[in-house]
């Protein structure tokens, strides 16, 4: 530990969990005169594997920690930005703007156990105290993140290492289970959302464009009261619900797992987009635990969500768990309205598919290194392939079993479900590497009926398989033809499903 006199101790970090060791170390480092400046990084992130605790709870724990430890502290949120070698300078400027404190090497010692971060401040001349990595310690203490991983693993020894301030905040706000859920969740990545390859700008634009069509298809089935849109995206459908006079007394609630989209929802609300005062948004993954109390929701909406649960989870098992959770939170007589992609009635039927070869490049073999390219490079490469060549690339990148047999006459023999999985995905070049991780045709309408019934729902008469004629006429039919094995033309099958499922009134 450095002996440099200091008026301030700068302590950057995510600070999700504070330890007993940190209390003693900072008390000795700060002495009776220095102020500890807590630069809480990733302050705009929560509900992600790297950042499972929201900033305001971290701030509460730091303030309580300071009182119990006899420290004078200032807590400053540091929002994430794109990586820069000037991270130290950016942090110092953020502190100056938020507090007016101009920290310099002459009056400040940096407390940091991460060598890469410490070097950035050392380059500016700051003296360094290495906290858990301090070479003068008789043995290195456990780092806070490792203690948090003990908590996530269900190892109760985390309590012996954690400062009482953190334990108190975790228990008062019931954070222990939510941390375990988020850290161990197989569906949520380090930064929130389902995959790291998505261009969320594209998704926001797509949601906004399709919102009116989606709302028009379901509005007649919506029951007033508590209306929840799970996977609400940027809140475009809830904007339309907000304009319905019949729903002006209803609560409109959006649930979104992707941090980028959730933040867009909050921005819209702050800008006064919604007229209804009872509009709320949650940043949650419904599979990670119940969001709503049992029998508390009148209408649940899901659009283009269930195929993601199928794809990134344990397929039918995860989807059934999701359906049961919705059933539990639905009031007797309430409704779950789901609109999503859907597989054909007979997905295993063998068919012949003929695809255009004159609408792009036809390389001798598909590339197997797309993950090494930038998003723009992937978009240019895949977008430049012919429809037939893109099938070969799809077969390489698709995360599900995909068997097909090229025939001498140029046709391809494959299962109907596999054919539709490709044809309904082939134009998603902007997000190719994420879209190829998802299966559109995992369930047929009959499969949906069985699953919803098993979850306890009654299937309403409005439920039906749907064929998106625009997609067929504009995306598929111009570049593809479908026949049976004898060459007889086949109609294009179902592409989507609408289910209107009620919880029985006697349940």
């Amino acid at each position: 530990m450095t002996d440099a006199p200091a008026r301030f101790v700068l302590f950057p970090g995510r600070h999700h969990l504070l330890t007993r060791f940190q209390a003693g170390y900072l008390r000795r480092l700060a002495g009776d005169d220095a102020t500890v400046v807590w630069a809480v990084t990733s302050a705009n992130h929560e509900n992600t594997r790297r950042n499972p605790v929201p900033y305001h709870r971290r701030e509460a724990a730091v303030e309580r920690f300071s009182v119990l430890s006899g420290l004078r502290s200032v807590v400053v949120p540091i929002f994430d930005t794109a990586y820069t070698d000037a991270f130290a300078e950016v942090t110092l400027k953020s502190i100056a703007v938020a507090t007016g404190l101009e920290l310099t090497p002459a009056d400040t010692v940096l407390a940091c156990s991460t060598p890469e971060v410490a070097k950035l401040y050392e380059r500016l001349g700051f003296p360094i105290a290495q906290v858990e990595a301090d070479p003068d310690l008789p043995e290195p203490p456990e780092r806070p993140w490792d203690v948090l991983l003990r908590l996530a693993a269900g190892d109760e020894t985390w309590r012996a290492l954690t400062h009482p301030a953190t334990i108190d905040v975790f228990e008062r706000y019931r954070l222990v289970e939510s941390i375990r859920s988020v850290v161990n969740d197989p569906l949520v990545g380090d930064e929130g959302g389902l995959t790291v390859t998505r261009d969320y700008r594209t998704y926001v634009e797509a949601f906004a464009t399709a919102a009116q069509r989606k709302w028009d298809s379901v509005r007649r089935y919506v029951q007033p009261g508590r209306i929840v849109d799970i996977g609400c995206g940027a809140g475009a459908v809830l904007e339309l619900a907000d304009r319905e006079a019949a729903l002006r007394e209803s609560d409109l609630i959006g649930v979104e797992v992707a941090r980028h989209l959730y933040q867009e929802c909050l921005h819209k609300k702050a800008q006064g987009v919604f007229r209804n005062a009872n509009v709320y948004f949650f940043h949650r993954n419904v599979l990670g635990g119940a969001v709503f109390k049992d029998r508390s929701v009148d209408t649940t909406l899901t659009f283009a969500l269930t195929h993601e649960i199928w794809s990134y989870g344990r397929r039918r098992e995860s989807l059934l768990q999701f359906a049961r959770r919705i059933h539990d939170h639905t009031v007797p007589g309430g409704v779950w309205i789901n609109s999503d992609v859907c597989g054909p009635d007979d997905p295993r039927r063998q068919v012949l598919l003929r695809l255009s070869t004159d609408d792009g490049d036809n390389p001798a073999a598909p590339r197997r290194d797309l993950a090494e390219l930038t998003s723009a490079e992937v978009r240019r490469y895949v977008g430049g392939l012919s429809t037939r060549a893109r099938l070969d690339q799809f077969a390489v990148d698709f995360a599900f079993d995909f068997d097909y047999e090229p025939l001498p006459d140029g046709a391809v023999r494959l299962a109907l479900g596999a054919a539709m999985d490709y044809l309904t995905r082939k134009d998603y070049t902007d997000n190719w590497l994420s879209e190829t991780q998802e299966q559109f045709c995992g369930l047929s309408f009959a499969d949906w009926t069985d699953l919803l019934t098993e979850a306890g729902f009654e299937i309403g008469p409005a439920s039906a398989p749907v064929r998106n004629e625009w997609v067929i006429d504009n995306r598929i039919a111009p570049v593809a033809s479908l026949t049976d094995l004898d060459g007889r033309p086949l109609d294009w099958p179902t592409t989507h499903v609408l289910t209107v499922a009620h919880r029985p009134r006697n349940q």
Side-chain angles (χ1 to χ4, degrees), residues 10-86:
L10 173 56
F11 193 21
R14 287 180 287 155
H15 300 309
H16 292 287
L17 181 147
L18 309 174
T19 65
R20 296 174 186 270
F21 166 78
Q22 287 176 326
Y25 190 93
L26 291 174
R27 190 72 189 85
R28 294 191 298 274
L29 185 63
D32 295 326
D33 301 319
T35 297
V36 180
V37 180
W38 300 72
V40 182
T41 58
S42 298
N44 54 329
H45 291 193
E46 61 180 279
N47 203 47
T48 70
R49 191 168 293 146
R50 283 189 70 247
N51 296 291
V53 181
Y55 167 75
H56 61 290
R57 303 301 187 214
R58 288 182 260 170
E59 181 185 33
V62 169
E63 294 285 12
R64 184 157 178 75
F65 174 98
S66 300
V67 171
L68 295 177
S69 303
L71 295 170
R72 185 172 188 270
S73 292
V74 172
V75 189
V76 181
I78 307 296
F79 286 8
D80 262 16
T81 58
Y83 174 79
T84 171
D85 285 335

Side-chain angles (χ1 to χ4, degrees), residues 23-287:
Y25 190 93
L26 291 174
R27 190 72 189 85
R28 294 191 298 274
L29 185 63
D32 295 326
D33 301 319
T35 297
V36 180
V37 180
W38 300 72
V40 182
T41 58
S42 298
N44 54 329
H45 291 193
E46 61 180 279
N47 203 47
T48 70
R49 191 168 293 146
R50 283 189 70 247
N51 296 291
V53 181
Y55 167 75
H56 61 290
R57 303 301 187 214
R58 288 182 260 170
E59 181 185 33
V62 169
E63 294 285 12
R64 184 157 178 75
F65 174 98
S66 300
V67 171
L68 295 177
S69 303
L71 295 170
R72 185 172 188 270
S73 292
V74 172
V75 189
V76 181
I78 307 296
F79 286 8
D80 262 16
T81 58
Y83 174 79
T84 171
D85 285 335
F87 171 75
E89 291 93 327
V90 170
T91 300
L92 292 168
K93 289 178 182 178
S94 297
I95 293 169
V97 169
T99 67
L101 296 175
E102 300 278 354
L103 304 182
T104 70
D107 61 14
T108 304
V109 59
L110 179 84
C112 181
S113 64
T114 305
E116 295 81 6
V117 174
K119 286 179 181 177
L120 298 177
Y121 288 91
E122 191 174 30
R123 186 180 63 193
L124 300 178
F126 283 87
I128 310 297
Q130 296 176 311
V131 199
E132 290 87 6
D134 195 319
D136 294 334
L137 296 173
E139 59 181 75
E142 194 149 356
R143 294 172 183 263
W145 185 252
D146 293 327
V147 178
L148 187 138
L149 291 180
R150 287 194 186 203
L151 180 159
D155 181 351
E156 287 300 315
T157 59
W158 72 273
R159 294 177 180 273
L161 301 169
T162 302
H163 192 273
T166 289
I167 295 175
D168 174 55
V169 170
F170 281 9
E171 290 183 342
R172 277 191 288 136
Y173 293 100
R174 302 182 180 181
L175 295 178
V176 172
E177 286 306 317
S178 68
I179 291 170
R180 285 175 178 159
S181 175
V182 171
V183 172
N184 298 317
D185 193 335
L187 300 187
V188 180
D190 286 347
E191 299 305 327
L194 297 171
T195 59
V196 297
T197 57
R198 290 191 173 182
D199 176 359
Y200 281 97
R201 175 190 54 79
T202 301
Y203 278 81
V204 170
E205 294 171 354
F207 291 149
T209 301
Q212 188 67 59
R213 173 178 53 80
K214 291 177 179 178
W215 179 244
D216 289 343
S217 70
V218 305
R219 61 191 296 272
R220 74 195 78 170
Y221 311 117
V222 172
Q223 298 183 8
R226 211 171 192 206
I227 300 168
V228 175
D229 184 359
I230 300 178
C232 66
V237 169
L238 288 179
E239 287 183 54
L240 298 173
D242 178 61
R243 300 172 191 170
E244 294 282 341
L247 302 178
R248 64 182 182 275
E249 300 295 329
S250 296
D251 290 349
L252 305 179
I253 303 169
V255 181
E256 178 54 54
V257 67
R259 175 175 51 82
H260 308 71
L261 301 179
Y262 168 72
Q263 290 175 337
E264 181 65 19
C265 291
L266 296 184
H267 176 70
K268 286 182 176 180
K269 183 176 179 180
Q271 294 299 310
V273 169
F274 299 97
R275 294 176 294 186
N276 187 332
N278 296 311
V279 176
Y280 309 96
F281 293 100
F282 292 91
H283 186 198
R284 303 280 177 81
N285 173 24
V286 175
L287 282 183

